[in-house]
Amino acid sequence: MHVADPAARTGIVCDVDDTALVTGLAHPLRAAWQTMSRAFAQRVPVEGMADLLSAAHAQLGGTGTPVVYLSNGPWNFNGPLVRFLARCGFPAGPLLLTQWSPTDQGFFRDGRAHKRRSLRRLHADLPDVRWLLVGDDGEHDPAIYEEFAREHPDHVVAVALRQVAVGAASAPVAEHHGPVPVVRGPDGHALLERLRPVLPSPAP
């Protein structure tokens, strides 16, 4: 069980697939094979992302800073994912997963809607927290994070996006969604280098 510190003023939301865990969602058949055939004990983390989250967690306040992992994966993967994140050195935190089952809108739940709904719930449940949003550009994270930053600019510290899209060009050190800085890089080490200058220091 993870309980948010009521005094926390900053937190981290991190996508899982191709942000923390190498999945290859840019290649759907390969991603499906990885998901269904390989045990989590054999899966590998994205280079440098555990270091990025650990460093950002420390810079934003350490123990009192909530870390939330947001994924379109099914809730059945919660246990294996928790063990994978711990084994690879990621900060501990709850996983917001979904249900893979038919709905009245279609055979599978809408992953984008799940992420949007989860972000809005975090904003409602923790209204005093400003979030660092970490994801990748392989699917919908840029648009979902931009939308949330546009709706709640005072509640987003920064957006960090790992570049996985085919042909993705190197971006400037910092873009902006309005007042919210956006950094991009091919792995966690590059992202951390570009993110450090835009992260606030914790209040004394």
Side-chain angles (χ1 to χ4, degrees):
M1 179 180 294
H2 301 274
V3 179
D5 185 344
R9 293 297 176 264
T10 52
I12 300 171
V13 172
C14 183
D15 175 54
V16 174
D17 292 316
D18 285 326
T19 302
L21 168 70
V22 174
T23 304
L25 287 179
H27 305 279
L29 291 178
R30 186 187 307 168
W33 174 255
Q34 289 251 44
T35 298
M36 299 304 176
S37 68
R38 296 190 66 187
F40 277 90
Q42 299 174 311
R43 306 287 288 277
V44 295
V46 172
E47 177 69 25
M49 292 304 296
D51 292 340
L52 164 66
L53 262 66
S54 296
H57 186 242
Q59 185 167 340
L60 291 174
T63 304
T65 300
V67 180
V68 178
Y69 296 94
L70 178 56
S71 171
N72 291 328
W75 63 266
N76 317 62
F77 287 173
N78 186 84
L81 272 174
V82 167
R83 291 189 290 274
F84 168 85
L85 294 169
R87 172 171 62 85
C88 296
F90 286 86
L95 279 79
L96 302 183
L97 303 172
T98 188
Q99 174 77 29
W100 283 9
S101 62
T103 71
D104 55 1
Q105 284 82 39
F107 191 75
F108 291 112
R109 294 182 185 274
D110 186 334
R112 286 171 291 185
H114 165 66
K115 287 190 172 182
R116 289 190 180 101
R117 185 168 55 248
S118 296
L119 287 172
R120 288 169 181 160
R121 182 176 176 182
L122 285 172
H123 173 65
D125 289 348
L126 300 170
D128 297 324
V129 173
R130 299 173 64 222
W131 297 97
L132 166 63
L133 305 178
V134 183
D136 65 82
D137 64 3
E139 284 200 305
H140 310 294
D141 290 347
I144 293 169
Y145 287 173
E146 180 180 4
E147 179 183 290
F148 185 78
R150 188 170 60 247
E151 292 175 355
H152 307 288
D154 294 337
H155 291 87
V156 181
V157 173
V159 175
L161 295 170
R162 177 189 172 230
Q163 295 168 305
V164 298
V166 176
S170 180
V173 170
E175 310 165 57
H176 287 80
H177 292 328
V180 177
V182 181
V183 299
R184 299 175 187 257
D187 56 38
H189 300 306
L191 282 173
L192 179 58
E193 181 180 350
R194 299 175 183 186
L195 194 59
R196 280 193 190 278
V198 302
L199 287 182
S201 298

